[in-house]
Structures are given as C-alpha cells and as structure tokens.
Amino acid sequence: MMRALPRRLAPFLFALLCGPLALATEPAAGDASAPKAAAAAPGGLPLSSFLPTQGPLRLQGAEGRVEFSLPISARESVQYAQLRLVATNSVSLLAERSQLAVQLNGSTVVQLPLSPRQPEIVADIRLPVALLKPGYNTLSFVAAQHYTMQCEDPAAPELWTEIDTTRSTLRLDTALKPINPTLADLADLLAPTQWSGGALTVVTPGQPQPALLAAGGIVAQGAALRLRYLPLTVRHTLAKPAATRGGGAVPGLDTRGLRGDAVLLGNATALRPYLAPETAARIKGAFLAIYPMPNDARRFVVVVSGRTDEEVATAASAFAWQSTPFPRQAEMNIGAVRAPELPDYAAGGRIARPGSYRFSDLGFTTRSVEGTRTDALTLNMSLPADTYAPEDAYIELALDFAQGAGMGGNSVVNIFLNGHFQQVVPLDEGRGGLMQRYRVRIPLRDFRPGANTLNFVPRLTPTSAGACANYQTGNLQFTLFDSSLITLPQVFHFTLLPDLQRFALSGFPYTVRSNGEHLAVWLAGHDSDTVSAAWTLMGKLAQRKSMPLTRVRYGYERPADDRHTLLLGVSSQLPKDALKGAPWLPGQRFTQLALSNQAVPVSDPGWWSGTWSWLSGGLRTSLDTSKVGPVVIDGDAGLDSQLLAMQYRAPFAGKRTLTVFTSDSASALRDGIARLIEPRYWDNLQGDVSLISPDRTTVSWQQVGARYEYGGIGLRERLGFYFSQHPWLWFAVTVVLLALLAMVVAGLVRLFRVRAHRNVAEQQEPR
C-alpha cells in the first residue's frame, strides 16, 4: 500500500490512522528547487546492494537499531534522494508506544508508527540532500518497540520489525560537477563512492605492443585499486585526431567517442600530435599529468607518458602505487619509483608467515559497544590460498578486552568465523575489569583460503530479569582493543590444482610473488576488445592482491620464460599447443561429469588394488587421478556469447598453471570479462571449468580434469596429508605396523632365550 501525503496533512491524519505514513521531509514536488526526477516513479538500487550479507534486516528488542553506509562521491552533487522502505512489524506491538525512525547521519528524517493493525509498511521517504556529505554517510533505522504500557521484558521475542532489503530501494539522482583537477584529486576522482559507474578508457596512439600492454595493465590496476572493492571495466581504444584543434592540454585528441574518464598512454613522440606543444615540451622524463576533458569539464584525462618505454612504465607505476595525495599540481616529472621488495604472499591484511600479529596491523581499531544488542566487532584477515598444516593445528587469539561491572552471569562474546560459530568468551567477572591475553583457539582447517572474517558478537545481559525488573544498561559495556594478537602456527604451502575458487579468492597461484614476476598475460588477438578484457582482468587481480603487480609479462606470443599464464582470446584464435590437456576444446569437444554421483571403477581393479581401495576408505589414492571418468562429447558446439574459464597444467611449462578465458567473439570476451568481475559471478568461480552466460546470474562449473600438486612439504607432513585424506589407510597402516612390531618382539625374545638360556633348556629336557 502506498502512503505518501503532503506534509501539512500528516498531523491531522496521524490522529485518525494507526497505519504508518510516508512523510515528505523536503518541499513538495511543486517547489522550484526540486528536480524533475522527483516526480519519477520510485526506483534505484536495493538496500541489499549496500550490505555485506543478503537477507532482511531485523530490529529486535525494545531498542532495535541497524545501520549501513551510503557512499557519496566528492565529484558528484546529489539532486534528489529517495528511500522506498518496505518492512513488516510484529502484530503484538503496542501502537501508542511503538515507532520506527529513519535517521541520516544522526538526524531523524521521518518517524513511522508501528501498528499491529497494519503491520505491512510501504513508505516513500525523501532524504534531505543537505544532510548528505562526500564520503560515507550513515543511514540508520531505529525502532522503539513495546507491547504494554507497564512492565515489559525489553528482550521479548515479539518485539521485532523486519526490513525487506530486496524490495526496499534507494534512489539517488546525481550529476557530475565541473572540475579543474590536480594529481592530488585522484583519490576523489577515482573513488568507490561514485554512483556514475566504474569505467575507464585507456587511449593509445597505436595498437599496443608488449611494453605498452604492460604499462596499460599497471594503469588499469592503479585505477581498480582506488575503487577498492568495486569492479572496474577498462576499455581500450585507439587515439583519433580531432577534426579541429581546440584549446587545453590535449587539443588534438578526438574525445567525442570516449565514454567516461580517460587515460592517454604512450611515449612523447607518439603522443605529440595530440598534445599541446607546450605540454609536450614539459615531458622531460616519466610524465604524469591530469587535465579536464576537452568539451566536457566534468571529466578528466590522465596523461601517462615519457621519452622511452621505460619512462612510460615508471609513470604508470607512480600512478598505480599512489596511496597518499600527490602534490596539488596538474603535472609531474618523475625520476624513479622505488617500490619495496615484499615477501611472497604479502598483501593487505594477509597473514603469510608463522608468528603473532596485532589486530591493528590487520586494520582493526579499538571499538566499544554498549547495551543488550550490539553490533559485531569485525576483524578481516587473509591466509595464503595454499596454506596447509596438520589436522591438529590451531590459530590462537590472545584477546585484550575490558568488560563492565555488574553484568549478568550469562553475558558472553560469541566468536564467528565466516558466519559460523566457533568459540565463546564468558564475561562472568562480576566486578568487571581489564582482561589481557585471553587465549582462544580455532582450528586452522576451519579457515578458508584467502579472505576470512572473524566476528566478535557481544551479548550483554543485566543482572536482573523479568517483566518488571529495574534494568540498568549503562554498565553493559565491552571494549575490544587493537593490541589483541592472532598467531599463525607453522604452516606449509601445499595444495591441489586446478582450482578456480582459489584463483577467485586471492589470484592464486598468479599472485604468490608480490610483484607479479611469475605471471604472464598471453593475448591470442591484437584487437582492442581482447586488450580491454586483459586489462579489466588484471584490475580485478590487483584488487584481490591489494597492491599492483608491476612485473607482469604481457605479449601476443607464448611466454618464453617459466611463468604461470593467463590466456585470453577468441576460441577460434587460441593456439592449439596451449590447449593440449584442456578439459574443454571450444567448438570441438566439451566435457561433463558422469550423471551418477558414485565412484565406479573403470575396470576390475584386482585383489591388491581392491584391498588398497578398501583400506583407503574407497577414496582415490593418487592426486593426479579423477575419481569418476567424465563424459566427453565431440561436436562443433560454440559458446554463443558465453565466457568460458578453464584452468589446467600448462602444457608448455609442466610445473606452471594455465588459465584460459575465451568466448566466440572478441566483443563477447570483453563483455564476459566485464561481467565476470562482478561479485555475483567472480565469487562463485569453482572447479576447473566455469561457464558464465549473459542471460543467467549464476555460474555453471565442474571439476573434470586431472588434479596435480602445487607447492612442497616434508615427508612427515606429506604422510600426514595423505592420511588426513584417507583415515582408513592410517588405521590399516597402524594395525600392520603393530603386527610387525609384535612379530619382531616375539622373534627377539625367542632369540634371547636361545642364546642366554641354552644350558637351562638342555638341563630341563627329559632323559
């Protein structure tokens, strides 16, 4: 039911109706200051797109509260903002005392009554644009919920309101502001708060050769890193001369066909026809500059140049590594970029080496919570994708925290790992105080490769209970300090490949080296669409790595050195020697798993093989052998604009991995990679074959090819790995060893008796 009324009528109808009303909090649509978009039909993004998890938001208890961040870019002006709220409240609430408040940055925008007679709420709420500021804004839902006028239990289960995050939407009409940019503004110009879409066009004076491909890949990574977690689509296009030269720093560049912001990339000689003479004269080394887009002052053009290919790469690296603001100037000549040599597996928030790490080193800051229902305190950390340790290995937490006095004895802090309950910390010290180095252990096997989330959820209860109890909530306090430690035990780097899930989680194995020197990008085509696909993919890998990969080798030929390789191209252009051992051959053969989910032998294994299979629990005993033979179909079935991702052992480098991304046309490959980097697809890559269709929101995947080992462990750990895979084998080996030990002991005893007591034995023999 739609309930949108002029503000002046609300006081009268509020007294007559118990149902919630949608109140306009800004001037009516007839106001001249209101944009025309205000009269449009409600739309926008669902609230679920702003939340880390899917599902409804539930406000529980007498004082329910939930909030999330609303990003606003500094380069955009918000002209109109509207929230469509769809919610349901309990039918047990007392209408006279229950209401839901919507707050923006701490200011109450609207109050909606919660009525048991009309528990379904559909309200269109205009958000005051004056309250929105650049950066992250806080949108809060605060519920006061009661079921009686007198004594009540504030934690009663019937006190709830649920917000539908799928049907509730947020609409923002924004417009880009004219800019006069400097290099210091790059953090605001390329920011995750922007609503106008993540797209960047890289313009080169000719089809990029390997050196320029590498520089463009570094630029794409730098732009993607500034967007942090938002996907960035990178487009490549060839520079076109302007029909008539205008003014500004790039008067000779035709920008009419460019979509969004752009980067002009190339050496000074190649860019000279597009630059103003005075601008070209200022290129005296690695050159980085930013200017307003000709004919569109709301957009910008970044110039990455130099006198040589090496200087162009240096300028691109400066663009990618920039994390603190540059000087407030539009141009800069760069002498050198000296990046630190980081150890393998290094990345933001990653625990790579055994030892203890402070929470502060992982981005956590000291936080305090108060009351009976509190938000989770979140620690984000990451493990290398090939982490292996014995089954009894634990990650240990040494927590520093403070708790209030006089809390109920059942107050606890629940610890969740990736949404699953793991441990509990009892807060049973009645006098409160400070606790240092409180030890909590979590099995290492419960952590997943790549990113992990530890949530500390305090549940604080008062000492008294009951409907008419005198509740004291000011003492319900808990603080978790960032001096707390997390300790990684001795681990090894060992796993099984191929595994596209590990690739999606952390870029493994391509990002093991922090500078990317073990990674090669092989393009099967010279067209701009294939180049765009490669640069877009590299931007996503940089986001997963949290730093630029500046030593990646790019080219149109097979890598000459021993590197893990990403191969991108149209299926008909893929080199045949690279497809040797591929689980699929697009247009020739495709492979699928057997319909039965049971492991069946291909032939009679014989007595010994059958006994070995029984001892090993019916599981495979070779890491290179699949349990069930796949179904192989030969045919000319094409991809039909689908994107195929497959991973297998590189046929030209036996110890390296090859991952292929292909489609039936270059444009489909470009669009498929742009779709792939969206979280709903990227986070669901699995197996060694994944298929992304333009008309589906899910990923089709399977594991059909042979698996192989990656990394190395010692003999002891390798035996532990095999026995952890096959526990019955461990039992059988133990029984056999005990039997052999018993036989050896019996033989030794018999031998000792013969040698030491021979005379006694002869005297005891009857005559």
Side-chain angles (χ1 to χ4, degrees), residues 1 26 74 88 108 613 655 695:
M1 165 180 174
E26 289 203 21
T88 303
T108 300
S613 178
K655 295 184 178 180
D695 56 345

Side-chain angles (χ1 to χ4, degrees), residues 706-752:
R707 308 197 75 183
Y708 54 92
E709 300 176 11
Y710 182 86
I713 54 177
L715 177 60
R716 174 185 172 185
E717 289 72 27
R718 181 176 291 274
L719 290 175
F721 177 81
Y722 277 104
F723 288 142
S724 68
Q725 297 287 311
H726 316 301
W728 277 105
L729 178 61
W730 167 248
F731 174 76
V733 170
T734 302
V735 171
V736 171
L737 290 177
L738 289 176
L740 291 175
L741 180 62
M743 294 173 60
V744 170
V745 171
L748 292 175
V749 170
R750 188 179 300 107
L751 181 61
F752 175 78

Side-chain angles (χ1 to χ4, degrees), residues 674-708:
R675 191 178 301 109
L676 171 68
I677 64 173
E678 296 177 11
R680 59 180 175 177
Y681 297 106
W682 185 269
D683 295 340
N684 288 292
L685 286 177
Q686 295 186 59
D688 62 348
V689 174
S690 289
L691 197 64
I692 295 92
S693 302
D695 56 345
R696 294 186 179 182
T697 58
T698 58
V699 177
S700 302
W701 68 272
Q702 54 185 344
Q703 185 82 45
V704 295
R707 308 197 75 183
Y708 54 92

Side-chain angles (χ1 to χ4, degrees), residues 368-377 456-460 476 478:
S368 299
V369 294
E370 175 184 354
T372 57
R373 310 251 346 150
T374 60
D375 294 333
L377 309 179
F456 302 88
V457 184
R459 287 294 177 255
L460 312 179
L476 303 182
F478 178 81

